[in-house]
Amino acid sequence: MNKSSSANFISVLGRQPELGRAELASLLGAENVSSITDGVVQFRTPDNQPLNINRLGGSKKLGAIVREATNPSKIDTLHIAYRTLLDHISGVVKAENAKKTTLGISAINSPVLAVGDLQKLGLKVKSACKKQGVSLRLLPNQTPELSTATSHHNKLGLKPSAVELLIIGAHKSTFFALSTGAQNITAYSARDQQRPARDARVGMLPPKLAQIIINLASGQQSQKNMRLLDPFCGTGVILQEAALMGYKAYGTDLEPRMIDYSRRNLDFIAAKMRHKPDIALEPGDATKTRWQPPVDLVATETYLGQPFSAPPSTVKLREVKHTCESILRAFLKNLASQIKPGTRLCLAIPAWRLAQISNPQPGAHFSRINPLDLFATGEYNVEKYGQNGLLYYREDQIVARDLLVLIKK
């Protein structure tokens, strides 16, 4: 069966797909997001319009599904892909009088398509385009899926004449989607590496992760006129991403030096924006500060404790964990009296890698803080994401970030 499916979209998720799926579920509602295969989900938007890839930290590529076929053979898969590309390119030529186009083809989890098949498909499309008077530049495949860097640098999906076809194999279906964009790795690198004030001692929060934290805190609320509080703002990464998304940003930090760093980094970002962002900064202890209202949502990376180059001893872990829990408990108690019921929070709290154990469950080799130990009087509800929660980590790091989503009762 071959059917059109134009109202649906797909996301090719990032390195930790559970974070990207949770991000989409937060923004769109869990009922509008479902798995196609490992690392790929399909989703619906309220207005049937594509999401902006630049807002999402957990999605490498987005696309609009144009066809779905049930158990197609290799020949059928290639035929549908060929017709899909010719129909799209012919439409672009007619609508825009385009005489040049760029084409990339990616196969994801496809058991029948190899690199050679994709190159033959591309050359067949190129030959057909030449007969129509259209010059087609075919991007070569080193692997079945084009890298995010290749898609980004060639602007695939960002304009009609730069096309990437995504062919996604699932259990019983194959989906054909036209890309609507790939992560802007150039902009991420500039925001991360070119900021004027950096401090490795307080940790380096990646901009992609900051976006995920903000989107988990946002839920389905519009960012228009919303004021986001980061009470552990550090060097201002979450504030910078919030400002770029259109939020009013409000940051506090215990150390005046961090406020100075945030101000310098936010001035750097503001100089690149068309409109001056609404940002407020002031020193403040998150366990005691009275924040200036309004506070519409809270997104922050809390105190992660001291860095480690190897898993800590049991005694040391108990000590560091107790310190972090005490700060978190005092912060959440202080905040509870200052925000309205229904206010959403996303906190990146610490988790610690343990010595290798045999338990295969994701997250089992980390010591994690139980959120219910942080607000015994019940000021918050915990939003659950899967059996193992949302843990952001790298294999070479001891201290991970556990993403905790709370809603004020």
Side-chain angles (χ1 to χ4, degrees):
M1 181 180 178
N2 174 17
K3 61 182 180 180
S4 175
S5 185
S6 59
N8 286 339
F9 301 93
I10 64 103
S11 166
V12 182
L13 302 171
R15 180 178 62 87
Q16 292 186 249
E18 66 278 7
L19 301 185
R21 174 168 179 157
E23 178 183 35
L24 288 167
S26 177
L27 292 171
L28 302 172
E31 70 280 5
N32 291 313
V33 182
S34 58
S35 292
I36 289 180
T37 187
D38 288 344
V40 183
V41 296
Q42 63 177 322
F43 62 90
R44 286 183 174 271
T45 59
D47 54 5
N48 287 336
Q49 294 300 308
L51 291 176
N52 185 346
I53 186 72
N54 293 327
R55 178 173 181 179
L56 301 173
S59 295
K60 295 190 298 184
K61 299 179 184 179
L62 299 180
I65 299 173
V66 292
R67 291 286 186 275
E68 178 184 353
T70 303
N71 291 327
S73 66
K74 179 176 179 176
I75 292 174
D76 288 340
T77 299
L78 291 170
H79 176 71
I80 295 169
Y82 175 73
R83 290 308 323 167
T84 298
L85 286 169
L86 276 195
D87 290 348
H88 177 76
I89 293 170
S90 296
V92 170
V93 170
K94 185 180 293 186
E96 301 194 0
N97 196 29
K99 295 299 181 182
K100 294 182 179 180
T101 189
T102 301
L103 172 62
I105 306 173
S106 288
I108 302 168
N109 196 43
S110 174
V112 297
L113 297 181
V115 168
D117 298 314
L118 302 181
Q119 289 301 103
K120 289 177 183 177
L121 169 62
L123 290 172
K124 185 178 178 181
V125 174
K126 183 172 183 173
S127 177
C129 287
K130 186 176 181 179
K131 293 177 182 178
Q132 298 180 24
V134 177
S135 173
L136 186 145
R137 182 169 69 98
L138 177 63
L139 299 176
N141 287 72
Q142 304 300 322
T143 58
E145 181 185 354
L146 291 176
S147 69
T148 304
T150 297
S151 298
H152 160 62
H153 290 307
N154 288 280
K155 298 182 170 56
L156 300 185
L158 299 183
K159 54 184 181 179
S161 60
V163 184
E164 182 175 7
L165 179 66
L166 305 168
I167 305 170
I168 304 114
H171 177 54
K172 293 184 178 180
S173 295
T174 295
F175 295 84
F176 302 82
L178 291 170
S179 170
T180 58
Q183 277 188 337
N184 189 335
I185 57 176
T186 302
Y188 279 127
S189 179
R191 298 205 298 270
D192 191 28
Q193 302 298 325
Q194 297 177 19
R195 290 182 297 141
R198 296 161 60 83
D199 189 337
R201 290 173 297 175
V202 299
M204 300 288 199
L205 181 67
K208 291 180 189 178
L209 179 57
Q211 287 181 315
I212 293 172
I213 291 169
I214 294 167
N215 287 328
L216 289 171
S218 167
Q220 297 177 61
Q221 306 170 95
S222 167
Q223 65 265 40
K224 187 176 181 180
N225 296 321
M226 297 281 281
R227 193 167 189 237
L228 177 148
L229 170 66
D230 181 352
F232 298 83
C233 69
T235 59
V237 179
I238 286 178
L239 297 177
Q240 90 179 6
E241 297 303 318
L244 289 167
M245 287 184 188
Y247 287 101
K248 299 176 182 178
Y250 178 24
T252 62
D253 197 280
L254 178 64
E255 291 193 44
R257 177 173 60 94
M258 291 294 102
I259 296 300
D260 176 61
Y261 280 18
S262 284
R263 184 170 287 110
R264 289 163 57 191
N265 288 333
L266 291 165
D267 286 346
F268 166 76
I269 290 295
K272 299 177 179 296
M273 296 175 65
R274 293 181 181 179
H275 306 289
K276 186 177 180 180
D278 186 336
I279 299 170
L281 291 166
E282 59 189 26
D285 181 342
T287 67
K288 301 174 182 176
T289 295
R290 300 301 297 179
W291 290 283
Q292 298 297 319
V295 172
D296 298 308
L297 68 161
V298 179
T300 191
E301 178 184 75
T302 66
Y303 177 62
L304 300 181
Q306 70 185 79
F308 291 101
S309 58
S313 67
T314 301
V315 172
K316 186 62 177 178
L317 175 58
R318 187 184 303 120
E319 174 190 321
V320 174
K321 193 173 184 179
H322 174 74
T323 299
C324 292
E325 286 178 338
S326 298
I327 292 171
L328 280 165
R329 195 176 296 114
F331 156 61
L332 287 170
K333 182 178 181 180
N334 179 42
L335 180 69
S337 63
Q338 301 184 56
I339 56 176
K340 297 177 181 178
T343 301
R344 292 176 61 90
L345 297 71
C346 181
L347 316 178
I349 66 175
W352 297 268
R353 187 184 296 276
L354 302 171
Q356 273 304 339
I357 57 176
S358 59
N359 193 327
Q361 289 296 318
H365 52 301
F366 285 90
S367 175
R368 302 166 76 172
I369 293 172
N370 183 348
L372 298 182
D373 292 340
L374 302 177
F375 38 90
T377 53
E379 301 99 330
Y380 304 92
N381 287 319
V382 181
E383 197 159 278
K384 294 186 177 180
Y385 290 92
Q387 283 187 319
N388 299 297
L390 301 173
L391 193 67
Y392 176 91
Y393 61 93
R394 292 190 175 277
E395 292 301 333
D396 60 343
Q397 294 178 338
I398 303 302
V399 182
R401 296 163 170 105
D402 206 352
L403 305 188
L404 178 62
V405 180
L406 306 176
I407 303 172
K408 175 69 169 65
K409 289 183 180 179

